[in-house]
DNA sequence: CTGAAAGCGCTTACAG
DNA sequence: CTGAAAGCGCTTACAG
């Protein structure tokens, strides 16, 4: 099974068409027998052009296959209509869905979208600087520490907006930003588990954008708050060092060993999947013995067995709204409206069930 | 649960810093007391600059917060170092992983990466044209019909490469491209099921880039070929109209009704998840009664229960290699080497088991 | 080692 | 309605 393929470096069989230079407005003007300014008027649909002239120019554009050079346009006009999104991940569900919302909104507005991945290896200042030098706006998906630092480093005079974790009481993101109420969502999910009769709820955390030496993420805060409101002392939270099922599995194994554990809230659905798997391996049926709630409502959450009770998050809506916020800075006539994204919503499925206290 | 947040449109509390214009090399030159050409030499690390002059210029750059305007650089120098990837999806595992490989390779080479989503609604020619006008290279992720059409429409004189489905015998992609051997992978997976004792294997297809009125995708071809080689008449394939678990679930329900179905190959892991779920609902245990194989080895495939036997695909490697192919066209001194991506690999897990013919 | 000129492909006033 | 000029912020020769 090792046959793989590639078109030979020399390209397809037919003789490689020499990459002749693209036509410019001067070429078009020459063919159409007008000055190049007139060509500019035509491609910008300026009203004051004689119909017959316009026709000649359009014909020339067609025959030469002219496409306006976007770089020259940007430099001369000063309008860039492009956004670069800074993110530390593109494949995790929350990031990918946010990116998708961003892309949709950008496309609808006629903006080009660039993606620049943030990595711990690359110099953050250089990365942010390079992105800023593009001339367009900057968008940061600030779900983790790395992205939060990037957001802090965006030069003041470059247009920028972000989607972030719900900020703590009284704190304001360094730039215009949107967020969902993760805190309230986690509180509600935890309260649901408590109402089901579980004596306490354990939490397996995702990484967060806040400095965990001094604080914790909004989802953890909501979980903690719900327990405290019910008068139960929150157990030590787990996780916080990774996003995927493998981390969930590792934490799940630990939790499975404790017979007192009957309810687990996970920071996302992938962690929950890992926890489910660990509980299965430990012979602890879900939801018979343990109830599990995920977070995000990723596409597969409803199709695993047991299907996952989870909190649906409208990442695409966040992305759209964040773009509107940025666009407001880029085009001064454009005023972003109130948020349009949907609030988090607890989706009840098979992985949770009422808990009857043991005799 | 409806509290959501957004920074007020006016921005953070502190008075919005007026977006003063970015400094140009002339500004830097003025502050440093040199001509702007000298500034150009410094920012391009040209050797012939007196140490003391260089120092003054660098100091001026620092105090003014100068960043070279990428647009002007591109226009003046003619080097773009940017790639726009055309894709009809960014969230499905195969697409997202390919994109990630592309991004990594682009970043390593110092290229900016743009993403342009292909949709059935937008005019394909306009979309492709707009992307081509960027001046950089074009990259297409050609896993579906829409993307394949986009690839066909890329003007001959714009640098372009693609990652595609394995082309049929003797056919060549319209542009330099890389591909994994999906056909052989599907053949091997099917043969494995046959060796396990299953009398036949059913197939739930993903959409494909080929015109299904005249042909079928490479994965389907491999599945069909394996059956025919074993002397069994291939049953009618299912699916082909969607990628996600819901489609898999619908097809799974149909298959579950047929007691003769004991082995199912799915075009990807999401479809397989849906099939698993449908079999569960129909009371047909996996792998006890039915064996299921997925495709791609998505991150969660190993964590569902039963864990999914699947074909691991190196999408990231494909993305990297495709980028090298494109770079070869953009920089004429750069010669792409032989493919470096890993061949598809069958990963045996819990969802498959030997089949003992019923008495 | 450093400066003055021309130009990348466009647009935006300004003339006529 | 259409053309000639100046300029966007840089780079690449060309001088000295």
């Amino acid at each position: 099974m090792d046959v793989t393929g590639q078109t030979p470096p020399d390209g397809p069989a037919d003789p490689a068409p020499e990459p002749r230079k693209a036509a410019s407005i001067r070429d078009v003007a020459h063919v159409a027998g007008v000055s190049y300014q007139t060509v500019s008027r035509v491609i910008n649909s300026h009203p004051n052009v004689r119909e017959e002239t316009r026709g000649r120019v359009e014909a020339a554009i067609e025959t030469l296959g002219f496409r306006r050079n976007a770089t020259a346009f940007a430099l001369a006009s000063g309008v860039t209509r492009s956004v670069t999104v800074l993110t530390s991940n593109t494949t995790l569900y929350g990031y990918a869905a946010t990116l998708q919302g961003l892309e949709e909104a950008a496309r609808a507005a006629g903006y080009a979208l660039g993606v620049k991945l943030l990595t711990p290896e690359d110099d953050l200042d250089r990365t942010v600087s390079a992105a800023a030098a593009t001339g367009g706006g900057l968008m940061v998906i600030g779900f983790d520490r790395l992205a939060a630092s990037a957001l802090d480093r965006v030069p003041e005079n470059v247009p920028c907006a972000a989607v972030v974790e719900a900020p703590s009481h009284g704190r304001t993101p360094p730039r215009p930003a949107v967020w969902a109420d993760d805190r309230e969502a986690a509180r509600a999910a935890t309260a649901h588990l408590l109402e089901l009769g579980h004596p306490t709820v354990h939490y397996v955390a995702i990484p967060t954008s806040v400095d965990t030496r001094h604080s914790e993420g909004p989802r953890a805060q909501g979980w903690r708050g719900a327990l405290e409101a019910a008068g139960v002392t929150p157990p030590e939270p787990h996780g916080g060092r990774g996003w995927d099922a493998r981390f969930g599995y590792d934490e799940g194994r630990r939790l499975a060993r404790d017979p007192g554990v009957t309810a687990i809230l996970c920071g996302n659905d992938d962690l929950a999947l890992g926890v489910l798997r660990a509980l299965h391996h430990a012979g602890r049926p879900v939801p018979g013995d343990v109830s599990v709630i995920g977070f995000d409502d990723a596409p597969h959450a409803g199709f695993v067995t047991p299907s996952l009770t989870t909190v649906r998050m409208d990442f695409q809506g966040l992305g759209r709204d964040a773009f509107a916020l940025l666009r407001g800075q880029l085009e001064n006539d454009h005023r972003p409206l109130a948020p349009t994204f949907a609030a988090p919503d607890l989706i009840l499925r098979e992985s949770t069930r009422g808990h009857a206290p043991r005799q």
Side-chain angles (χ1 to χ4, degrees), chain A:
Chain A
M1 235 211 271
D2 61 351
V3 186
T4 50
Q6 180 184 323
T7 306
D10 313 303
D14 38 299
E18 67 208 67
R20 62 183 179 287
K21 212 149 154 273
S24 74
I25 55 172
R26 289 173 220 263
D27 299 324
V28 173
H30 186 250
V31 169
V34 297
S35 76
Y36 65 85
Q37 294 87 339
T38 298
V39 177
S40 174
R41 288 196 188 86
V42 171
I43 62 184
N44 291 299
S45 2
H46 199 87
N48 292 348
V49 178
R50 197 162 23 123
E51 206 43 59
E52 192 258 327
T53 311
R54 180 185 304 280
R56 285 218 313 284
V57 171
E58 276 165 351
I61 285 174
E62 180 68 26
T63 65
L64 290 179
F66 167 82
R67 293 180 302 274
R68 176 224 264 143
N69 181 313
T71 303
F73 171 82
L75 184 59
S77 69
V79 335
T80 309
R81 274 181 133 53
S82 88
V83 173
T84 302
V85 6
L86 261 25
T87 179
S88 65
N89 192 291
T90 58
T91 57
L92 288 166
Y93 175 68
Y95 291 86
T98 304
L99 189 58
Q100 194 179 330
L102 241 23
E103 198 284 336
E104 265 172 32
R107 181 159 37 85
Y111 278 62
L113 188 89
V115 175
K116 199 156 207 78
L117 210 73
L118 268 12
T119 73
E121 294 80 41
D122 295 317
D123 179 59
L124 208 51
D125 284 305
R126 277 180 46 77
T127 304
V128 172
S129 261
T134 308
L138 252 38
M139 188 74 239
V140 0
I141 301 183
F143 294 153
D144 51 79
R145 296 271 291 151
L146 189 57
S149 318
L151 184 55
D152 285 334
R153 283 151 207 260
V154 175
E156 283 203 344
N157 62 338
V158 342
C160 173
V163 11
V164 298
E165 286 189 311
S168 290
H169 36 276
R171 311 207 68 217
T172 311
R175 289 315 193 91
V178 294
W179 59 85
D181 198 346
D182 299 80
R183 194 177 295 105
E184 166 57 18
R187 193 206 57 73
T190 306
H192 177 74
L193 255 7
L194 257 18
E195 282 156 20
L196 248 26
H198 294 277
T200 188
V201 177
H202 289 75
Y203 181 60
V204 178
I206 47 170
T208 167
S209 62
V210 309
D211 185 342
T212 45
R213 286 170 306 181
H214 307 119
S215 182
E216 55 188 354
R219 293 183 185 183
Q221 288 177 20
W223 157 78
R224 184 180 299 280
L227 291 180
E228 287 170 349
V232 354
T233 306
E236 200 60 27
H238 288 64
R241 264 157 300 109
W243 304 85
D244 65 25
R246 182 160 306 281
F247 283 95
Y249 183 78
D250 293 341
E251 299 298 349
R253 298 228 57 152
R254 275 189 270 281
L255 285 163
R257 280 197 284 270
D258 178 355
V261 171
T262 69
I264 305 173
L265 174 66
C266 298
N268 74 24
D269 292 338
D270 286 330
L271 290 175
L273 226 58
V275 166
L276 248 30
R277 182 71 174 162
L279 290 169
H280 170 75
H281 277 171
R284 304 197 57 184
V286 174
D289 187 15
V290 184
S291 283
V292 175
I293 296 188
F295 229 106
D296 295 354
D297 196 27
H300 53 264
F303 291 91
V304 296
T305 300
S307 60
L308 198 57
T309 291
T310 188
V311 181
R312 179 172 293 163
M313 301 290 290
D314 184 11
F315 290 111
Q316 295 197 38
L318 284 173
R320 278 197 305 273
D321 288 348
F323 177 78
L325 232 39
L326 179 55
R327 193 181 180 193
Q329 300 170 52
L330 261 11
E331 308 169 29
N332 29 25
D333 55 333
H334 181 85
R335 248 189 144 21
L337 303 170
T340 65
F341 61 90
D345 195 14
L346 186 62
I347 311 290
L348 266 23
R349 287 196 278 242
E350 296 168 354
S351 66
T352 43
R353 177 189 289 181
H355 177 75
R358 295 229 178 78
Q359 313 306 11

